[in-house]
Amino acid sequence: MSCSYADGLSPYENKGVLGLDEKYDTTENLQLKCGILTEWINTSRHVVVHTGAGISTSAGIPDFRGPSGVWTLEEKGLKPKNNISFDEAVPTKTHMALKKLTEIGK
């Protein structure tokens, strides 16, 4: 289960800023950023993508520092409500986009 995964993590004091609100771009700004990203990927010889746990939240797997993140809730003595098995999680659009980039050799 994804929630019990967090139980096995080593505890440490500084887990960064916890519980920040998510920020969303306007549609116009998102389209602009996607265009820039597409150009960068198309003109690059190598691409490295550094993501966080947040790319899996829409698949039902909790992140760590978000408002309902594992560590944010832990600070309050709570556990995430989502408790999906990694095997049952459905890949997100982000996962599929990264898979496609790999398939086309980026």
Side-chain angles (χ1 to χ4, degrees):
M1 305 264 172
S2 60
C3 287
S4 30
Y5 164 77
D7 293 337
L9 297 175
S10 300
Y12 62 94
E13 285 184 38
N14 183 6
K15 293 181 179 174
V17 179
L18 305 175
L20 296 176
D21 290 336
E22 289 191 49
K23 296 181 182 178
Y24 297 92
D25 285 320
T26 62
T27 301
E28 181 180 285
N29 199 22
L30 180 61
Q31 288 175 345
L32 175 67
K33 288 179 177 182
C34 286
I36 293 169
L37 179 59
T38 300
E39 183 179 335
W40 288 349
I41 291 171
N42 285 335
T43 59
S44 297
R45 288 181 40 213
H46 305 284
V47 176
V48 176
V49 179
H50 184 106
T51 72
I55 72 164
S56 300
T57 54
S58 60
I61 298 171
D63 63 9
F64 293 95
R65 293 181 180 89
S68 300
V70 173
W71 291 332
T72 304
L73 295 175
E74 175 187 74
E75 251 191 359
K76 300 173 185 175
L78 303 171
K79 286 194 174 229
K81 292 177 185 171
N82 295 350
N83 197 13
I84 190 168
S85 157
F86 287 124
D87 294 336
E88 295 171 351
V90 176
T92 66
K93 289 181 181 181
T94 305
H95 294 124
M96 299 311 291
L98 293 174
K99 180 179 184 278
K100 184 66 174 179
L101 285 172
T102 301
E103 288 171 352
I104 64 172
K106 292 291 183 177

